[in-house]
Amino acid sequence: MDTVELALEHSVVERGDARLHVVRSRVAPHERRAPLLFVHGYPDTHATWSRQLEGLAAMHPVAAFDLRGVGASTIVGEPRAATRMARYVEDIEAVIDHVAGPGGQVHLVGHDWGGVLAWQFAGDPERAGRLRSLTVIAAPHGAAALAMLRARLRRHSLADLAVVAEQLRRSWYLFLFQLPKIPELYLGRDPVRTWVGAHRRGGVPRGDPELADIDPAWARSALVALLPLYRQMFARTTLRELHELRKGGPRTITTPVCLVVPQRDLALTPELYENIAEFVPELERHDIDDNHWVHRSRAAEVNQIVHDFVARHEA
C-alpha cells in the first residue's frame, strides 16, 4: 500500500477544561466516507500514527488528536477533575463531532490507552452509534482480561498461575505509577532517554524518524500527563463499576471490531485476549509476531489490515 505526502490541517477543539489539538487530512466537499479517527496511547502523541495517516489518507479521510495534557493539547481546568477517565472518553465524542459533524460516524482506531478508551466508548450504548467500526491494537478489553485472570486463578494449576505471574511481571509499571510524585520525578529526570528507551524496548525500530529530534518538554508531557489514568485503574469507583458490570453479565460490544494482537508485547501477554469473544460477537482478530508498537514496526501490514476491515464496514 503506497504512502502519500500528507498535508495535515491543524485545529483545536475547545472542551472547557481542556483544548484538544486535532490533525486531519483535507476533505473534499462531497466526501461521504466516514473518517478514520486515531487515538494514541501511552507514552505517545498523535505523531505515533504518522505512518497510518500517510498510508491510508489516499483511500480514507484521516484524523488524530493529542489526548488532553499531551503534546499540543492542554488542560486548562482544575487538574483532578479534568483528568477523570470519563473526560477522556467524552473527548472522543467531541472530536467525532469536529471531524464528522454532529451525529456523524467514524471508524475508530486505538492503540494502548487509546484502545482502552475506545473499548469504553464502544461499550456505551448511547455512544456506540457514532462508530461504523472499531480497530484496537495492543489493548485488551478490560472485563475480558479480568475474566481470564480470575478463571486461571480459580483453577490453581501451576501453568495457569505462571500465566498470571508473567502478566504481573510485565505490569510492574502499573504499581509504580500508583505512587504519588515519585513517577513524575523519575520520568522527568531524563525524559528523552526514557521515552526513546521505552519505544525501543517496545519494538520501535532503530532509525524510526519518530525517535529523532525529540523535544524534552514534549517527551515529558507524553510520559507524565496520562499518569492519572493509571492511578484511576485501582480507584474504588473503577473497581465498583467493574464489579457491577460483572454482576450484570458481559456488556456486548455491538460495533464490528478488528483486534490486532502483538504476540511479543512487552507489556501484555496474549492470554489477556482469550475471553474477548464473550464481549464482542462481531470480531476479526489478527495476531502479529511483533512487539507493542506494531503499528510502527509493521506499518504496511497494519495499514492493510485497517484498510481492508474499514472497507468491509464502510457502507
Side-chain angles (χ1 to χ4, degrees):
M1 185 176 293
D2 295 332
T3 61
V4 297
E5 192 71 29
L6 186 60
L8 294 171
E9 296 180 346
H10 295 253
S11 56
V12 173
V13 175
E14 298 286 353
R15 298 285 293 130
D17 57 355
R19 304 178 79 242
L20 305 179
H21 173 231
V22 180
V23 298
R24 62 189 299 189
S25 57
R26 292 191 174 95
V27 180
H30 302 294
E31 176 62 70
R32 293 186 176 181
R33 293 169 299 178
L36 274 66
L37 176 60
F38 294 88
V39 188
H40 70 81
Y42 176 86
D44 285 314
T45 69
H46 78 274
T48 193
W49 295 114
S50 62
R51 290 181 169 169
Q52 283 63 54
L53 299 176
E54 293 167 358
L56 295 167
M59 291 148 287
H60 313 275
V62 294
F65 70 103
D66 293 333
L67 293 176
R68 52 177 56 207
V70 179
S73 291
T74 57
I75 291 173
V76 296
E78 192 278 317
R80 188 176 182 86
T83 53
R84 289 182 297 111
M85 199 175 299
R87 295 298 289 154
Y88 292 87
V89 177
E90 291 162 2
D91 286 345
I92 295 175
E93 186 159 28
V95 176
I96 293 175
D97 286 341
H98 182 68
V99 302
Q105 292 183 311
V106 300
H107 299 279
L108 191 62
V109 185
H111 172 255
D112 188 84
W113 262 108
V116 173
L117 297 171
W119 280 125
Q120 293 193 26
F121 190 93
D124 183 343
E126 295 184 2
R127 293 192 170 104
R130 307 300 305 274
L131 305 182
R132 288 197 189 175
S133 73
L134 170 63
T135 299
V136 176
I137 304 170
H141 183 287
L146 284 176
M148 183 283 290
L149 293 170
R150 191 179 297 114
R152 286 183 176 270
L153 285 171
R154 285 174 176 169
R155 288 199 288 265
H156 300 298
S157 75
L158 288 178
D160 288 317
L161 293 176
V163 169
V164 175
E166 174 58 20
Q167 182 53 58
L168 290 175
R169 184 190 70 80
R170 297 191 194 191
S171 299
W172 65 270
Y173 61 94
L174 297 182
F175 306 104
L176 171 66
F177 289 172
Q178 304 309 306
L179 300 173
K181 299 184 179 179
I182 292 176
E184 284 85 347
L185 293 172
Y186 169 73
L187 295 169
R189 187 175 52 181
D190 189 351
V192 172
R193 182 178 179 181
T194 301
W195 190 88
V196 171
H199 284 74
R200 290 286 296 122
R201 289 190 296 274
V204 177
R206 190 181 303 276
D208 187 305
E210 194 189 16
L211 303 183
D213 300 323
I214 299 165
D215 177 67
W218 175 90
R220 189 183 188 283
S221 78
L223 287 164
V224 170
L226 296 186
L227 291 178
L229 288 179
Y230 285 102
R231 288 167 177 154
Q232 290 171 70
M233 290 178 68
F234 302 112
R236 288 183 181 179
T237 52
T238 304
L239 296 175
R240 190 182 306 118
E241 288 172 4
L242 288 172
H243 178 67
E244 292 300 320
L245 183 62
R246 184 168 65 89
K247 287 198 306 182
R251 178 183 287 180
T252 300
I253 303 289
T254 57
T255 303
V257 174
C258 176
L259 180 66
V260 178
V261 181
Q263 294 295 292
R264 293 185 283 111
D265 195 320
L266 86 164
L268 304 163
T269 60
E271 289 83 0
L272 286 175
Y273 303 88
E274 284 179 348
N275 293 63
I276 200 162
E278 298 176 22
F279 300 81
V280 186
E282 196 171 346
L283 176 67
E284 176 180 308
R285 174 169 170 163
H286 298 266
D287 293 348
I288 299 180
D289 184 25
D290 215 305
N291 210 328
H292 189 70
W293 274 277
V294 65
H295 63 291
R296 300 295 304 181
S297 57
R298 304 276 280 272
E301 184 176 350
V302 169
N303 288 356
Q304 192 67 58
I305 289 170
V306 173
H307 167 68
D308 293 346
F309 180 70
V310 166
R312 287 193 292 275
H313 296 283
E314 179 54 37

